[in-house]
Amino acid sequence: MSISVNEKEKFFSVKTANTEYQMKVDEFGVLKHIWYGEITNKNMEYLLDYPNVGFSGSIYEAGTRQTYSLDTLPQEYSCEGTGDYRISSLSVLNKDGDSSVDLRFKGWEVKKGKYSIPGLPASYDNSNEAETLEITLEDKVSKIEVVLKYGVFENTDIITRSAVITNKGDNSVYLKNASSVCLDIPFGNWQWVHFQGRHAMERQLERASLIHGVQESSSNRGASSHQQNPAIVLCSADCTEISGSCIGAMLMYSGSFKARVQLDQIDQVRMVMGINPEMFKWNLKAGESFYTPEAFLSFSSQGFEKLSHCFHKFIRNNVCRGKYKLESRPVLINNWEATYFDFNEEILYNIAKQASELGVDMFVLDDGWFGQRNGETAGLGDWFVNEEKLSGSLKKFVDKVKAMGMKFGLWFEPEMVSEDSDLYRNHPDWAIKIPDRAPVRSRCQLVLDMSRKDVQDYIYEAVSNVLKSADISYVKWDMNRSISDWFSHGLNSENMGEMPHRYVLGVYSLLERLTSSFPDVLFEGCCGGGGRFDAGMLYYCPQIWCSDDTDAYERTKIQYGTSFFYPISAVGSHVSTVPNHQTGRITPIETRAVTAMAGSFGYELDLNTLSSEEKESVKNQIKRFKEYQPLIHNGEYYRLSNPMEDEYAAWEFVSEDKSEALIHGMVFFTKPNFVRYLIKPRGLDENAEYVINNGSETYTGKALMSGGVLVPKTSGDYSPIEMHIAKLLS
Ligand code: DGJ
């Protein structure tokens, strides 16, 4: 039993394999947070202190007891208007205009299995391990009821959180903030890690000490964004890859979000995460419920590595879905960086032909195959094949690709519309813009109003018709701008504030319909690279194009940050040409390959332009990737260096039975007479004997892990590292 309840004490303990989460209802009905950390088998309430802090308010029932204040008490779901001046999780504008909501305990229930959330993606249980705890809180005055849901996944040390907010009163209210999770940590010297960036430079790890006040990681762009990712880590100041405490928190949401961390006046930490309240005003009518997106929490007492392993397994097994979730992914060739919009049937055919000869599994036709889409200014929305450009039907071309022994994949950007398109000419009101105002353009395009069912239906039909017209095995679902000008003809002034969330719900609903209508199609998410790289999208698309930056050196940093939460199989990663189109950097083809192999692998260049020696390398890379894919995708991932600080990047995949490991990476710059780098693998069997790269010398796992291996001498910059470590059969 992972959930135990002491009814008399109203004490709740939620245990996973290595962690424990405790809560307790006090004499005033307040649900206090008691503990999140290692399993203690002890009610940790003895650590709760009730300080008398000047100017902190006390709830009325506490009488003259000034030491009882919601401003200092750790709580499970903080509310605005209760004398708790820290960040609130719930904010309700009541019918008379006041914003008070005071939640007290009403009841609890433990349920077998994992809850799901209407209209939203949610993690699921597929091995009968999960349990759900529901704690109901109510505000007796406004009749707002909140059910806090805790999903418990014992094996991966994950606890999920979500809230259902119901208006049990007779009048409409507005939700101004409805967060998914609140976590109070009363003690410790905590830092936080978040993942910031920009287009073509996503998820750059940033770690900082907390300062008094609020720090946040958020997006107000309508998508989870390139700039900040909906996943943060709170860690002890001494936390490393392999030691120290850390808590990972991730929101399963693809729209505007906000994760806030506050160091309060008495050095306590509060973390609140959910839909971005700045973009949110939900009209909750009498009798209606609002469902928050789900958040995932995990605690590790053994540093970041353990935390990442838990999130990787959880996302792969309990978030991603569909035929491909645990399947080998096809090695693909994408024509984008080879041609951009400038192609015809012959050019595509030649790229596909050469790729098939070198062992590539699938040809992906990117942007520019439809309508009058010959550049960035036209065509989006007109999902009809440009038969002139393809010299015939899509089916004819797909059949040619299939005759080469390859599968075929196609790019779409379903949520967008060009002003120069038939769709826009016929339905100008389907584009998001405010009447009488000129809309903000981005990449010369506008966004379709995905909150509208008729818009969703049009896209569903248009995409389905194309998918049915030929044998298409893969869809790249792109989204190339941030959203602004929030206005929908389907909403009114009372509920316009619902639009950003309704947009996301519309995208999810459409993805659900399409992925279930085409269960054999592999969907890859994309948003100008990794601008919507989140667990919400991974529920529908088991892989996401990680970044529009294909430069191997930059990718080591982007993929390093991405690896803290997201599994390797989720990371779309390709070998492209040199000089690299984003940075002008020249890196060896082997380095580009080992870097791209830390993902769902492919190529994005015209392989005809390579020398015969390079073509041989490509053949060999594809062979190696296919051989290593089970290890890379199913194994555990270890970060062996920090490429943001070290002079080399190195990472490792270890099979579950520890019989095999693969170290990949690159030495950034070669220096004359340089000091050799030592890499220490992890995760091996200490007592087993291993060989490296099929060599004759044997090493114990202990020797390798404690002594390390020398990186071979390098020549030239960005030299690749590849060491395959295999256990000797006894
Ligand atoms: C942005 C994507 O990230 C690229 O890979 C490519 O598909 C372009 N869009 C096409 O417009």
Side-chain angles (χ1 to χ4, degrees):
M1 265 298 262
S2 46
I3 300 169
S4 53
V5 183
N6 180 330
E7 256 213 274
K8 196 162 147 258
E9 302 266 307
K10 294 210 183 70
F11 174 77
F12 301 87
S13 160
V14 174
K15 281 189 192 142
T16 64
N18 304 291
T19 73
E20 186 169 1
Y21 191 106
Q22 299 179 357
M23 300 161 263
K24 189 177 184 310
V25 180
D26 71 13
E27 66 269 42
F28 304 115
V30 171
L31 182 63
K32 293 183 302 200
H33 176 78
I34 304 292
W35 176 255
Y36 189 30
E38 289 182 292
I39 296 174
T40 61
N41 291 319
K42 158 87 188 153
N43 178 341
M44 300 302 282
E45 199 184 2
Y46 72 89
L47 289 174
L48 254 192
D49 195 18
Y50 292 86
N52 183 355
V53 178
F55 285 84
S56 282
S58 303
I59 58 170
Y60 204 76
E61 304 96 295
T64 54
R65 200 175 132 195
Q66 291 190 43
T67 54
Y68 189 97
S69 173
L70 296 186
D71 199 22
T72 52
L73 253 195
Q75 292 155 73
E76 275 302 298
Y77 203 62
S78 56
C79 294
E80 190 185 351
T82 55
D84 181 352
Y85 299 96
R86 296 171 289 173
I87 322 165
S88 54
S89 320
L90 180 66
S91 201
V92 182
L93 189 61
N94 294 312
K95 72 167 190 351
D96 295 331
D98 66 285
S99 293
S100 214
V101 57
D102 189 354
L103 295 175
R104 305 294 172 94
F105 180 76
K106 184 174 176 198
W108 60 274
E109 206 173 336
V110 174
K111 293 180 174 165
K112 192 83 203 107
K114 167 68 189 15
Y115 63 87
S116 52
I117 308 178
L120 280 166
S123 61
Y124 60 91
D125 174 28
N126 44 15
S127 53
N128 273 332
E129 62 149 335
E131 277 188 300
T132 297
L133 168 64
E134 293 185 356
I135 301 186
T136 304
L137 309 173
E138 64 177 344
D139 178 321
K140 288 221 160 81
V141 177
S142 66
K143 307 268 187 307
I144 293 294
E145 187 177 281
V146 176
V147 179
L148 298 179
K149 300 203 176 201
Y150 301 78
V152 191
F153 290 83
E154 203 167 337
N155 299 331
T156 42
D157 287 329
I158 296 275
I159 296 176
T160 69
R161 297 267 317 251
S162 173
V164 184
I165 300 151
T166 303
N167 181 357
K168 297 223 154 175
D170 300 327
N171 302 292
S172 286
V173 297
Y174 282 105
L175 299 181
K176 294 190 296 176
N177 176 17
S179 298
S180 302
V181 57
C182 169
L183 182 69
D184 278 347
I185 311 174
F187 298 105
N189 180 8
W190 293 88
Q191 301 188 335
W192 77 308
V193 177
H194 78 138
F195 303 90
Q196 62 83 34
R198 54 182 182 268
H199 173 237
M201 213 172 152
E202 300 87 340
R203 291 173 296 287
Q204 306 286 306
L205 180 144
E206 213 166 54
R207 176 175 178 169
S209 297
L210 297 182
I211 53 169
H212 288 99
V214 180
Q215 29 260 280
E216 73 172 46
S217 191
S218 65
S219 161
N220 57 3
R221 293 169 180 266
S224 49
S225 91
H226 301 85
Q227 285 73 12
Q228 318 244 291
N229 194 264
I232 62 165
V233 185
L234 288 164
C235 58
S236 57
D238 61 356
C239 188
T240 69
E241 274 295 324
I242 52 171
S243 65
S245 298
C246 51
I247 295 169
M250 167 185 271
L251 192 68
M252 190 181 197
Y253 192 58
S254 311
S256 298
F257 73 95
K258 195 178 277 251
R260 282 175 289 175
V261 182
Q262 181 171 27
L263 184 65
D264 76 6
Q265 55 179 336
I266 52 170
D267 297 348
Q268 304 184 111
V269 176
R270 170 170 289 175
M271 191 278 298
V272 171
M273 195 179 218
I275 293 174
N276 191 335
E278 284 165 42
M279 314 283 297
F280 179 81
K281 191 176 171 205
W282 195 272
N283 186 356
L284 193 65
K285 300 202 184 76
E288 285 184 353
S289 295
F290 180 81
Y291 298 84
T292 75
E294 180 160 271
F296 312 140
L297 295 176
S298 189
F299 169 83
S300 157
S301 59
Q302 295 160 52
F304 301 125
E305 179 176 289
K306 176 84 174 53
L307 195 74
S308 298
H309 288 170
C310 287
F311 272 99
H312 289 183
K313 276 191 201 131
F314 179 70
I315 291 178
R316 227 163 117 67
N317 290 300
N318 305 96
V319 169
C320 293
R321 296 181 306 165
K323 179 177 161 185
Y324 280 95
K325 85 172 203 177
L326 301 174
E327 282 291 299
S328 292
R329 309 289 166 76
V331 174
L332 62 86
I333 177 106
N334 177 304
N335 73 304
W336 179 242
E337 284 201 20
T339 65
Y340 297 102
F341 292 104
D342 196 11
F343 59 80
N344 57 31
E345 198 255 359
E346 191 188 345
I347 293 172
L348 298 178
Y349 182 85
N350 289 336
I351 293 174
K353 189 88 190 82
Q354 178 63 84
S356 77
E357 282 164 13
L358 297 179
V360 170
D361 300 316
M362 183 162 74
F363 175 80
V364 175
L365 175 52
D366 210 281
D367 198 353
W369 56 267
F370 51 92
Q372 291 310 305
R373 182 76 171 164
N374 295 310
E376 291 183 339
T377 56
L380 288 172
D382 295 343
W383 302 109
F384 310 102
V385 179
N386 183 337
E387 297 200 349
E388 208 180 303
K389 222 167 165 179
L390 282 190
S391 303
S393 69
L394 183 64
K395 178 162 177 3
K396 197 172 131 216
F397 184 67
V398 173
D399 288 347
K400 279 189 181 178
V401 170
K402 285 187 62 202
M404 298 172 196
M406 284 199 292
K407 294 178 168 179
F408 181 86
L410 198 58
W411 179 96
F412 289 90
E413 195 179 357
E415 299 156 64
M416 298 293 152
V417 64
S418 304
E419 287 159 271
D420 184 1
S421 69
D422 288 344
L423 182 68
Y424 186 77
R425 282 182 280 273
N426 293 333
H427 298 282
D429 61 315
W430 284 10
I432 299 180
K433 53 187 169 60
I434 301 167
D436 304 327
R437 276 186 199 277
V440 172
R441 287 193 188 115
S442 181
R443 207 197 189 203
C444 312
Q445 65 199 46
L446 303 181
V447 187
L448 287 173
D449 180 354
M450 295 297 296
S451 69
R452 279 173 68 159
K453 179 78 169 59
D454 50 357
V455 174
Q456 294 167 30
D457 288 345
Y458 165 79
I459 304 173
Y460 175 80
E461 288 304 324
V463 174
S464 299
N465 288 341
V466 178
L467 294 184
K468 282 187 220 149
S469 73
D471 189 358
I472 297 171
S473 308
Y474 160 108
V475 164
K476 178 172 171 187
W477 185 290
D478 208 346
M479 191 266 189
N480 285 306
R481 61 160 290 179
S482 303
I483 310 173
S484 52
D485 306 283
W486 292 106
F487 180 92
S488 171
H489 292 279
L491 298 171
N492 55 43
S493 58
E494 304 248 295
N495 54 12
M496 200 59 74
E498 300 175 12
M499 196 189 170
H501 183 53
R502 287 199 181 277
Y503 179 96
V504 181
L505 294 176
V507 172
Y508 288 153
S509 161
L510 179 59
L511 275 163
E512 183 67 43
R513 276 166 87 187
L514 281 167
T515 50
S516 35
S517 299
F518 299 92
D520 292 332
V521 173
L522 168 61
F523 281 74
E524 173 158 349
C526 179
C527 175
R532 202 161 56 177
F533 204 115
D534 56 67
M537 289 309 286
L538 285 170
Y539 186 71
Y540 306 97
C541 311
Q543 63 191 60
I544 298 177
W545 180 227
C546 182
S547 176
D548 271 350
D549 191 345
T550 55
D551 171 44
Y553 169 74
E554 291 295 335
R555 271 287 181 127
T556 62
K557 297 166 196 233
I558 297 168
Q559 294 178 187
Y560 172 76
T562 306
S563 79
F564 272 71
F565 283 93
Y566 300 101
I568 303 309
S569 56
V571 176
S573 202
H574 300 166
V575 174
S576 63
T577 195
V578 286
N580 178 269
H581 289 187
Q582 292 79 42
T583 61
R585 184 174 282 116
I586 296 180
T587 53
I589 193 152
E590 268 306 307
T591 308
R592 281 175 268 154
V594 294
T595 308
M597 283 187 204
S600 282
F601 183 64
Y603 291 83
E604 192 160 330
L605 72 167
D606 183 353
L607 293 165
N608 292 295
T609 59
L610 300 185
S611 67
S612 43
E613 212 176 88
E614 287 172 321
K615 284 181 190 165
E616 273 314 302
S617 299
V618 168
K619 235 189 205 168
N620 182 272
Q621 290 159 10
I622 295 170
K623 198 171 143 273
R624 267 157 47 221
F625 180 73
K626 288 186 175 173
E627 190 182 318
Y628 293 146
Q629 183 168 188
L631 170 62
I632 291 175
H633 287 181
N634 304 332
E636 286 196 320
Y637 179 81
Y638 293 81
R639 289 173 290 266
L640 301 184
S641 82
N642 174 355
M644 315 295 281
E645 290 169 4
D646 297 337
E647 295 187 78
Y648 64 95
W651 55 90
E652 181 196 23
F653 311 95
V654 182
S655 63
E656 217 178 325
D657 64 0
K658 300 179 188 294
S659 64
E660 197 191 0
L662 179 68
I663 297 177
H664 272 164
M666 82 173 75
V667 176
F668 295 143
F669 306 108
T670 292
K671 296 171 192 161
N673 300 322
F674 79 100
V675 179
R676 299 281 299 278
Y677 299 118
L678 193 65
I679 293 182
K680 292 188 176 176
R682 294 200 293 275
L684 303 177
D685 175 351
E686 282 191 2
N687 301 314
E689 296 274 343
Y690 292 92
V691 290
I692 300 177
N693 291 342
N694 276 326
S696 51
E697 185 154 1
T698 63
Y699 311 82
T700 58
K702 181 79 180 169
L704 293 175
M705 292 193 290
S706 144
V709 261
L710 282 174
V711 173
K713 281 209 169 77
T714 57
S715 164
D717 292 341
Y718 314 111
S719 285
I721 301 171
E722 178 164 292
M723 290 181 219
H724 183 250
I725 302 177
K727 187 168 162 180
L728 281 182
L729 295 174
S730 45

